[in-house]
Amino acid sequence: MTAGRDDETGTIARKAQRMEEARKRRSDSPWYGLGMFGLVGWSVAVPTVAGTALGIWIDGRWPGEVSWTLTLLVGGAILGALNAWYWVQREGRDD
């Protein structure tokens, strides 16, 4: 009965070792770097474009002294930079 249990333990240990090696190799891939580059780019671009679009809409609807387009463009860029920083920090912790 213990021989079967030892086989299971060995199988689980080998699978865990293979999974750990695959995780280490994943970060060395050029595709991983390219994917991270794209993730960071989109995490900055989306809030910036959304803020700009909202600012244009507000400026068109309620014109005033303050340029909401510029204000929300800067706000979106700051939010995007914080978002990108979060993702880079999160991926860095996995190593």
Side-chain angles (χ1 to χ4, degrees):
M1 183 108 186
T2 53
R5 178 164 264 168
D6 288 339
D7 282 344
E8 289 176 13
T9 304
T11 301
I12 291 170
R14 282 191 304 275
K15 286 183 179 182
Q17 181 66 30
R18 281 197 311 252
M19 285 176 60
E20 185 64 32
E21 289 172 4
R23 282 191 189 113
K24 288 179 183 176
R25 279 194 311 264
R26 176 190 67 150
S27 63
D28 295 338
S29 167
W31 291 110
Y32 176 79
L34 196 59
M36 179 57 68
F37 185 73
L39 177 71
V40 169
W42 278 109
S43 67
V44 173
V46 170
T48 303
V49 170
T52 303
L54 182 61
I56 290 170
W57 181 77
I58 291 172
D59 280 341
R61 193 97 161 155
W62 301 288
E65 294 178 13
V66 176
S67 172
W68 286 104
T69 303
L70 292 175
T71 303
L72 292 176
L73 182 140
V74 171
I78 291 170
L79 181 65
L82 291 172
N83 194 15
W85 177 78
Y86 167 77
W87 279 106
V88 169
Q89 291 297 318
R90 182 175 171 202
E91 289 298 316
R93 274 186 261 146
D94 291 343
D95 292 340

